[in-house]
């Protein structure tokens, strides 16, 4: 089976490496098909494509769109998109639009919790002023020595219900699927195992996604446990979804799974790249 890695982040969103470094790392790790999927942002894709092409590494243009569904944040990955499609570009710009205000509120709440200067502190880690994310705050709080790693900083400061958490309304599921499909892409639910839905709510999410034209779910991802690889392989078969595989790599030392280092998809699923 091909070593496909169809989910990772550059410093155009909350990854630490520039697109060209990701391409080189994917190539060095034996990746056969590579997608870069920055959060709500496609402006790094041109650079990624040039670098991948120079390395003879098959490249897939991607994006990871933040949506709000049933009061939770869910991520929808788009693969094989035309990143110049105007509806997609405008939709992503609107989705990014609320991030600066949200970051100021996160900073104010952290200040009230005894951590001053977090907005400026997070900005030091931001590669793209259009995309300030909780990950950048996390790096600042770790730098201050208040948490030892990303897991702890989300558990103590930035996760839902914690002092620095600011609820945010992102795009809708329908928006994200329409933007991706309108740009010629394939829509995939990212890391379903990370959401805290009941079985009933998951069923509603999967049905609604399918009805909207959604095609796949991530099965083997750096955000899943080994048990979840098999569980979501079954889910894919039950709903007739294609199965995707991606490390969700954000940077050396920050991600559990490096580019190209995931196990293969479980048997019996249809890979999302089967007809590419
Ligand atoms: P945002 O889009 O600003 O809400 O930031 C979301 C990002 O924070 C995700 O894409 C992850 O990179 C990171 N993140 C969220 N929760 C965790 C966690 N528990 N551990 C590590 N990183 C996390
Ligand atoms: Mn991220
Ligand atoms: Mn995600
Ligand atoms: Mn991701």
């Amino acid at each position: 089976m091909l070593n496909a890695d169809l989910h990772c982040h550059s410093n155009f969103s909350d990854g630490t490496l520039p697109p060209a470094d990701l391409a080189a790392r994917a190539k060095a790790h034996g990746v056969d098909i590579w997608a870069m999927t920055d959060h709500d942002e496609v402006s790094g894709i041109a650079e990624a494509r040039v670098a991948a092409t120079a390395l003879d590494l098959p490249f897939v243009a991607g994006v990871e769109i933040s949506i709000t569904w049933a009061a939770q944040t869910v991520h929808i990955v788009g693969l094989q998109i035309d990143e110049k499609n105007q509806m997609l570009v405008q939709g992503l710009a609107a989705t990014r639009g609320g991030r600066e205000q949200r970051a100021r509120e996160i900073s104010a709440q952290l200040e009230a919790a005894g951590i001053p200067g977090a907005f400026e502190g997070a900005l030091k880690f931001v590669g793209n002023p259009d995309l300030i994310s909780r990950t950048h705050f996390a790096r600042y709080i770790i730098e201050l020595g208040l948490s030892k790693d990303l897991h702890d900083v989300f558990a103590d400061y930035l996760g839902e219900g914690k002092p620095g958490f600011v609820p945010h309304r992102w795009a809708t599921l329908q928006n994200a699927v329409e933007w991706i499909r309108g740009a010629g892409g394939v829509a995939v639910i990212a890391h379903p195992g990370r959401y805290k839905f009941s079985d009933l709510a998951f069923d509603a999410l999967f049905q609604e996604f399918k009805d909207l034209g959604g095609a796949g779910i991530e099965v083997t991802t750096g955000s899943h446990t080994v048990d979840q690889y098999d569980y979501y392989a079954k889910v894919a078969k039950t709903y007739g979804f294609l199965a995707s595989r991606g490390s969700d790599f954000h940077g050396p030392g920050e991600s559990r799974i490096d580019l190209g280092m995931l196990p293969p998809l479980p048997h019996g699923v249809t890979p999302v790249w089967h007809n590419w």
Side-chain angles (χ1 to χ4, degrees):
M1 187 183 279
L2 288 179
N3 186 355
D5 194 323
L6 303 179
H7 188 149
C8 70
H9 298 274
S10 77
N11 61 354
F12 281 78
S13 65
D14 62 347
T16 58
L17 299 180
D21 291 13
L22 288 174
R25 195 172 182 101
K27 182 75 181 180
H29 290 185
V31 171
D32 299 309
I33 320 176
W34 174 56
M36 196 176 79
T37 54
D38 277 316
H39 295 285
D40 308 321
E41 178 61 279
V42 290
S43 55
I45 287 182
E47 205 177 304
R49 183 183 288 115
V50 168
T53 304
L55 292 165
D56 211 12
L57 169 63
F59 177 70
V60 173
V63 66
E64 180 176 21
I65 304 180
S66 312
I67 69 158
T68 303
W69 192 86
Q72 280 192 47
T73 299
V74 168
H75 288 168
I76 305 296
V77 164
L79 298 172
Q80 298 276 38
I81 50 165
D82 166 12
E83 79 275 12
K84 295 198 170 67
N85 179 273
Q86 276 310 301
M87 191 174 66
L88 174 71
V89 167
Q90 287 165 17
L92 295 179
T95 302
R96 288 194 303 272
R99 278 186 179 270
E100 178 167 343
Q101 180 57 31
R102 170 192 187 234
R104 294 196 185 278
E105 291 170 26
I106 290 174
S107 181
Q109 288 187 199
L110 288 173
E111 177 142 16
I115 307 176
F119 185 81
E120 292 71 22
L123 270 188
K124 288 192 298 175
F125 294 94
V126 168
N128 168 8
D130 237 18
L131 206 126
I132 174 162
S133 93
R134 282 186 293 162
T135 313
H136 302 111
F137 283 94
R139 294 189 183 123
Y140 176 62
I141 293 169
I142 292 167
E143 184 190 65
L144 290 178
L146 295 170
S147 296
K148 72 173 190 318
D149 58 21
L150 282 174
H151 174 269
D152 281 9
V153 74
F154 277 90
D156 294 337
Y157 294 102
L158 296 171
E160 195 166 345
K162 300 301 166 185
F165 184 78
V166 172
H168 193 75
R169 180 160 288 278
W170 303 104
T172 66
L173 179 62
Q174 183 168 356
N175 291 152
V177 176
E178 283 179 1
W179 298 339
I180 291 165
R181 284 167 50 92
V186 178
V188 173
I189 298 177
H191 43 63
R194 268 181 37 187
Y195 312 127
K196 299 194 169 38
F197 292 128
S198 66
D199 289 350
L200 208 63
F202 266 117
D203 180 56
L205 171 65
F206 294 142
Q207 281 301 342
E208 187 179 330
F209 180 67
K210 203 174 160 74
D211 292 345
L212 288 167
I217 61 171
E218 287 185 341
V219 167
T220 304
T221 142
S223 297
H224 280 171
T225 63
V226 172
D227 288 349
Q228 286 174 328
Y229 302 158
D230 289 327
Y231 179 79
Y232 286 102
K234 285 202 199 88
V235 170
K237 284 184 260 184
T238 303
Y239 289 85
F241 286 136
L242 301 171
S244 194
R245 175 177 186 264
S247 57
D248 208 354
F249 180 72
H250 281 70
E254 286 201 358
S255 297
R256 199 169 58 83
I257 306 276
D258 211 317
L259 280 165
M261 296 302 188
L262 282 167
L265 285 173
H267 289 292
V269 295
T270 307
V272 66
W273 59 87
H274 75 114
N275 60 1
W276 289 355

Coordinates of all heavy atoms in Angstrom, one line a residue, residues 9 14 39 135 250, ligand 2:
H9 N 0.6 20.3 8.8 CA 0.5 21.8 8.9 C 1.9 22.5 8.8 O 2.9 22.0 9.4 CB -0.1 22.2 10.3 CG -1.4 21.6 10.4 ND1 -2.5 22.3 10.0 CD2 -1.9 20.5 10.9 CE1 -3.6 21.6 10.2 NE2 -3.3 20.5 10.8
D14 N -0.5 26.5 12.0 CA 0.1 26.4 13.3 C 1.2 25.3 13.3 O 1.6 24.8 14.4 CB -1.0 26.1 14.4 CG -1.7 24.8 14.1 OD1 -1.6 24.2 13.0 OD2 -2.5 24.3 15.0
H39 N -4.7 24.9 8.5 CA -6.0 25.3 9.0 C -6.5 26.6 8.3 O -5.9 27.6 8.3 CB -5.9 25.7 10.5 CG -5.5 24.6 11.4 ND1 -6.4 23.6 11.8 CD2 -4.4 24.3 12.1 CE1 -5.8 22.8 12.6 NE2 -4.6 23.2 12.8
T135 N -2.6 27.0 19.3 CA -1.3 26.4 19.3 C -0.2 27.4 19.6 O 0.8 27.2 20.3 CB -1.0 25.7 18.0 OG1 -2.1 24.9 17.6 CG2 0.2 24.8 18.1
H250 N 2.7 18.6 13.1 CA 2.8 20.1 13.3 C 4.3 20.6 13.4 O 4.5 21.8 13.3 CB 2.1 20.5 14.5 CG 0.6 20.6 14.4 ND1 -0.2 19.5 14.2 CD2 -0.3 21.7 14.3 CE1 -1.5 19.9 14.1 NE2 -1.6 21.2 14.1
Ligands
LIG2 MN1 -3.3 22.4 14.5

